[in-house]
Amino acid sequence: MTWSQWFIFFLIIQVIHGLGTWKLYIKAGKQAWEAFVPVYNAVILMKIINRPWWWTILLFLPIVNLIMFIVVWVETARSFGKNTHLDTALAVLTLGFYNYYLNYVADVSYIENRSLQPKSGSGEWTSSILFAIVAATIVHTYFIQPFTIPSSSLEKSLLVGDFLFVSKFHYGARVPNTTVAAPMVHDTIPILQKKSYLFDDHKDSKSWKNLLQLPYLRIPGFEKIERNDIVVFNQPADTLLDMNNFHPDRNYYKPIDKKTNLVKRCVGVAGDTLEVRDGFVYINGKKNELPDRAHLQFSYFVQPKTSQFNPKYLKDRYDITDGFGIINNQNTYYFSAISDEALAKFKNNPNVVSITPNIKEKGERDPSIFPHDPNYNWNIDQFGPLYIPEEGKSIAITVDNLPLYKRAITEYEGNTLSVNGNQILINGEVANSYTFKQNYYWMMGDNRHNSIDARAWGFVPFSHVVGKPVFIWMSWDGSSPRWKRFFTTVSGTGKATSFLIPFLVLIAAYFGFSQWRKRKKAE
């Protein structure tokens, strides 16, 4: 729904609430009109049920409010003496319409100073769990989200098995588009392996479920995405059918906030002109300089003296961690990723005869590479030049460059576009230029030959940005912990320092101080 439609829906809900509770407001010593005034009625209701005013805020936070509505329905019934399990069940199962029965049929009285303590152990547990979920959902949605590195695209900077904390507030927390979803999970409910949100994912669906989506909205952040930042974002071309199908026309069905989360390095920001030469990124004609913690990796063909390399030995000796294997009958190995540091050592291995870089030639077209158009002979190593759109900036649109920007204009900015001969029509009108509504970014992996990134799907709009990884709180290599990576920062210069020991010391000091205070109070 649009914001106007949501506003009308909001007013309808206020009328429904007022009609179902105005007599209850009177019995609680309030005025009938107070049940109908938007937002104010919620503040008054919090007073009636003896709950803090700030609960009103929770009623307007997507996902969180699904829990708070249930709590408020039950609390309202209990404020008028309806405390049985049946009353609780009716309040929940009727989606709050049990209030109509209390308002018009039941003979109830307001209990002004009722006890807010749960009357049973199970009730206390339920209350604690609900509010723990509420608090965790708020933190997860608007402040910090945990994230696990699933692939080696940023290997050496971020390793497979790193567990991160991703800041939502650096670039500005995004208000969830999906209003009805399970809290603290992404697109799938663990164990059940069922979709976690209410939405019809079929293309061009007109289902009522899809009307529950909020328009894009982001809370202002305090930092802009800078070149070479590591960023978590929703994959723009994600689809339930095949997330690696990067055809430039519409091929995804998920809401933005439920698309697959990825982490890459932003090598190009809005307004940059980007080019890839022999696998290296050039920005505005100059070679991009990566931070000292970044380590580019490329693939190589290796000719050995024998036919065997030991994976464990290569990992321990040279830090070669990505896969490799024989590719033909000539005893040639293909190594999918080797860093410059590893290459300098590995080429002196007595089992190595020769090492040849796997770099594609300029002009050799790869159809899997953006923009998937036969007029662009680009590949993974030779790409561009390409202008990255900037909010408020206009570019000339022609039939020749349309493949580069069609997806941004239509999918990410919501316009209709058609071509009639040499004429381009945007929203039914002939267009020779286009002004972009948001910033776009170019996300790539440091693992240049073993990373599915923007070279496959194109620009990443700011609407798809999730947050900034700031901290590695745990790391696991698949069989054992990487202790040196526990409690290390993601950004910064020089070798990352682990803060695990200081953290454990602080925890021990806190518990020691708590025990000391308890003993002092007991004396």
Side-chain angles (χ1 to χ4, degrees):
M1 289 192 289
T2 64
W3 287 115
S4 298
Q5 291 169 329
W6 271 107
F7 181 70
I8 294 172
F9 177 74
F10 172 72
L11 293 180
I12 293 172
I13 294 298
Q14 302 308 304
V15 172
I16 292 173
H17 171 80
L19 292 175
T21 58
W22 66 273
K23 285 188 176 181
L24 299 180
Y25 274 63
I26 292 175
K27 290 181 179 181
K30 308 300 180 182
Q31 301 295 316
W33 61 267
E34 291 180 297
F36 292 89
V37 180
V39 183
Y40 178 73
N41 55 8
V43 175
I44 297 301
L45 182 60
M46 294 309 110
K47 293 182 178 180
I48 292 174
I49 65 176
N50 290 322
R51 295 298 184 177
W53 67 268
W54 50 263
W55 273 29
T56 302
I57 299 174
L58 302 182
L59 293 175
F60 292 93
L61 294 181
I63 309 302
V64 171
N65 56 9
L66 299 179
I67 300 172
M68 294 307 302
F69 287 149
I70 294 173
V71 172
V72 169
W73 296 335
V74 173
E75 290 286 292
T76 301
R78 291 178 177 176
S79 295
F80 291 90
K82 297 298 183 178
N83 295 307
T84 68
H85 293 305
L86 178 60
D87 293 315
T88 299
L90 288 172
V92 174
L93 296 176
T94 63
L95 302 181
F97 281 96
Y98 186 51
N99 286 337
Y100 274 75
Y101 168 75
L102 301 181
N103 197 59
Y104 293 108
V105 179
D107 183 16
V108 295
S109 299
Y110 177 58
I111 304 174
E112 184 174 359
N113 295 313
R114 70 184 180 93
S115 173
L116 300 180
Q117 296 297 320
K119 296 184 178 180
S120 65
S122 61
E124 186 172 351
W125 271 100
T126 301
S127 178
S128 298
I129 291 171
L130 283 176
F131 283 100
I133 293 174
V134 167
T137 301
I138 292 173
V139 171
H140 183 276
T141 304
Y142 298 99
F143 296 97
I144 294 287
Q145 177 181 339
F147 184 83
T148 306
I149 298 298
S151 70
S152 63
S153 67
L154 290 172
E155 190 74 13
K156 311 313 174 195
S157 292
L158 294 176
L159 309 183
V160 176
D162 279 350
F163 291 79
L164 310 178
F165 283 137
V166 176
S167 166
K168 298 289 189 71
F169 53 85
H170 273 75
Y171 304 139
R174 197 175 53 188
V175 176
N177 301 98
T178 308
T179 60
V180 182
M184 294 186 299
V185 297
H186 192 52
D187 59 343
T188 304
I189 299 175
I191 301 175
L192 298 179
Q193 295 299 306
K194 298 294 184 182
K195 188 168 64 176
S196 66
Y197 55 98
L198 190 65
F199 188 85
D200 185 351
D201 299 304
H202 293 90
K203 184 177 179 179
D204 300 325
S205 171
K206 304 298 182 183
S207 171
W208 63 271
K209 300 175 186 177
N210 297 8
L211 295 176
L212 300 175
Q213 292 287 301
L214 280 173
Y216 169 72
L217 178 65
R218 186 184 290 272
I219 299 170
F222 64 86
E223 185 177 296
K224 292 183 178 180
I225 298 176
E226 296 181 358
R227 195 177 300 120
N228 295 325
D229 276 355
I230 295 177
V231 180
V232 173
F233 58 96
N234 299 116
Q235 186 193 31
D238 189 10
T239 164
L240 291 174
L241 301 179
D242 179 4
M243 66 174 284
N244 295 325
N245 177 8
F246 307 120
H247 192 275
D249 289 328
R250 181 178 177 87
N251 69 343
Y252 62 88
Y253 320 113
K254 291 182 182 179
I256 292 175
D257 57 334
K258 295 303 177 182
K259 293 181 182 181
T260 300
N261 287 329
L262 294 180
V263 58
K264 306 288 180 186
R265 191 180 300 279
C266 178
V267 296
V269 299
D272 284 345
T273 296
L274 175 141
E275 188 175 1
V276 179
R277 306 175 194 168
D278 296 329
F280 293 95
V281 171
Y282 287 75
I283 300 296
N284 304 322
K286 296 182 179 180
K287 191 174 183 179
N288 185 35
E289 295 185 9
L290 293 172
D292 59 1
R293 289 191 188 179
H295 299 274
L296 290 182
Q297 295 193 99
F298 296 92
S299 61
Y300 294 88
F301 297 108
V302 179
Q303 186 75 38
K305 291 180 180 178
T306 67
S307 61
Q308 293 184 354
F309 282 110
N310 184 293
K312 186 177 186 306
Y313 176 79
L314 294 184
K315 177 181 178 182
D316 296 340
R317 174 73 173 174
Y318 305 111
D319 196 26
I320 296 175
T321 52
D322 279 37
F324 62 90
I326 296 177
I327 60 170
N328 55 38
N329 295 324
Q330 298 178 356
N331 194 27
T332 300
Y333 274 86
Y334 173 76
F335 280 74
S336 59
I338 302 178
S339 67
D340 289 344
E341 294 85 349
L343 182 65
K345 299 176 182 178
F346 184 46
K347 67 183 180 181
N348 296 320
N349 185 293
N351 191 37
V352 172
V353 175
S354 64
I355 300 179
T356 306
N358 179 28
I359 300 295
K360 293 185 178 298
E361 296 291 332
K362 187 172 184 178
E364 179 183 345
R365 180 174 178 262
D366 184 342
S368 68
I369 294 299
F370 179 84
H372 318 283
D373 186 277
N375 292 321
Y376 288 85
N377 295 323
W378 295 351
N379 57 60
I380 198 169
D381 296 310
Q382 317 291 344
F383 187 96
L386 174 66
Y387 172 76
I388 303 173
E390 183 177 3
E391 180 182 3
K393 295 296 179 66
S394 299
I395 65 168
I397 294 292
T398 66
V399 174
D400 291 333
N401 71 1
L402 184 60
L404 301 174
Y405 302 105
K406 179 182 178 182
R407 188 178 183 87
I409 294 171
T410 57
E411 297 298 337
Y412 308 145
E413 307 219 340
N415 301 290
T416 61
L417 187 151
S418 60
V419 179
N420 183 13
N422 289 323
Q423 281 190 331
I424 299 172
L425 289 83
I426 298 178
N427 298 325
E429 298 183 359
V430 176
N432 297 315
S433 66
Y434 181 77
T435 303
F436 290 94
K437 302 174 185 177
Q438 60 178 317
N439 286 327
Y440 291 81
Y441 303 89
W442 198 260
M443 308 293 189
M444 286 176 59
D446 296 344
N447 198 337
R448 291 294 160 83
H449 290 152
N450 198 17
S451 172
I452 299 176
D453 51 36
R455 289 168 292 180
W457 63 71
F459 307 113
V460 174
F462 186 55
S463 60
H464 285 58
V465 170
V466 174
K468 180 177 183 176
V470 293
F471 204 66
I472 300 170
W473 63 273
M474 189 179 79
S475 186
W476 186 265
D477 71 358
S479 59
S480 61
R482 304 184 186 102
W483 293 109
K484 291 183 179 180
R485 296 185 67 80
F486 278 50
F487 288 80
T488 58
T489 56
V490 173
S491 301
T493 58
K495 188 176 181 180
T497 301
S498 173
F499 294 94
L500 176 60
I501 299 301
F503 174 77
L504 294 177
V505 170
L506 287 174
I507 292 295
Y510 171 78
F511 279 105
F513 179 71
S514 298
Q515 292 299 318
W516 178 79
R517 286 189 62 186
K518 287 181 181 179
R519 286 197 299 269
K520 292 292 289 185
K521 288 182 179 180
E523 293 177 357

